[in-house]
Amino acid sequence: MPIEFKEAQQDSARIYPEARERVILQGDLVRPVGLKDPDILFINVPTTFQQGVIADGEEPPWGLLRLATASTQIHGLSAGILDAHRLRLGTNVLESQIRFIEPKTIGLNPTSMNVPEARQVADICNKYDIPYVLGGDHATLDTRIARDDFPDEDEIVRGSGEIVIGNLVHSLVEQKSEGADPEDKNEY
């Protein structure tokens, strides 16, 4: 099946230079390709100040890859990854990907350097009533600051989340389907 292209949106100039004039059709930016309505979509949050200077040899998001693998292989969830950092995605493209994929939950991995960008993704989650889990360096190093930066987070995971991710996602999906609004937030 040939790949179809769309005209670029206003903020898509952040996408790698070879595709500056077009945006790959909805859903083709998420791995695995064709994923729809996953239990969790892990988003490698972009870092705006680094846009345009991402080295070709930069490491992939190993932590998110481990989580996605554990989610599918150990916990039986459907999971995908959107590497918004490496793809240099802007807010509009990120939002359109989230709307198209329709994840049940989202996992964010901000570092202290990209909290503003992660906050924008969190706002998109709130706009579409998608629960999100905060993990990564920012959440692990100082949960108190992470809670201040993301007061509306659904859960925070410190350290490796491979063991808790299954129960956590099942719980968040169940709470949402029951219309529950948990007052007590947990830290794993």
Side-chain angles (χ1 to χ4, degrees):
M1 176 175 182
I3 296 176
E4 299 178 40
F5 294 96
K6 270 177 111 156
E7 289 301 313
Q9 294 178 1
Q10 196 64 8
D11 76 331
S12 64
R14 292 182 176 164
I15 294 178
Y16 51 92
E18 304 87 271
R20 200 175 297 265
E21 302 304 317
R22 60 196 188 269
V23 174
I24 297 176
L25 272 181
Q26 304 290 338
D28 287 347
L29 299 177
V30 173
R31 297 298 180 255
V33 173
L35 183 69
K36 190 78 168 145
D37 191 32
D39 295 313
I40 187 160
L41 175 63
F42 296 101
I43 298 178
N44 188 26
V45 178
T47 305
T48 305
F49 77 90
Q50 287 184 333
Q51 299 294 357
V53 295
I54 299 171
D56 288 336
E58 182 177 315
E59 295 285 322
W62 294 118
L64 292 183
L65 291 167
R66 271 195 328 270
L67 282 168
T69 300
S71 296
T72 59
Q73 302 298 312
I74 296 172
H75 302 289
L77 301 172
S78 59
I81 294 179
L82 177 56
D83 192 348
H85 176 67
R86 181 169 291 282
L87 292 170
R88 302 176 182 142
L89 300 182
T91 308
N92 289 344
V93 174
L94 255 170
E95 183 172 353
S96 70
Q97 289 292 300
I98 290 169
R99 283 181 40 221
F100 181 79
I101 299 299
E102 298 177 333
K104 294 178 182 114
T105 55
I106 289 182
L108 300 178
N109 69 336
T111 64
S112 298
M113 301 299 286
N114 65 357
V115 167
E117 293 89 341
R119 185 65 251 165
Q120 290 177 332
V121 179
D123 290 342
I124 293 168
C125 293
N126 292 333
K127 179 178 179 180
Y128 296 104
D129 195 30
I130 302 170
Y132 72 93
V133 178
L134 197 65
D137 294 341
H138 191 64
T140 298
L141 294 175
D142 194 331
T143 306
R144 182 181 39 82
I145 292 174
R147 279 216 170 118
D148 289 344
D149 290 337
F150 298 88
D152 50 354
E153 48 74 24
D154 290 279
E155 302 291 346
I156 292 179
V157 177
R158 295 181 71 193
S160 299
E162 290 87 342
I163 295 172
V164 300
I165 195 67
N167 289 337
L168 179 60
V169 170
H170 286 300
S171 173
L172 288 172
V173 169
E174 186 177 302
Q175 287 173 0
K176 183 178 178 186
S177 69
E178 293 173 358
D181 186 20
E183 293 182 19
D184 296 326
K185 295 182 181 187
N186 298 309
E187 177 182 312
Y188 293 90

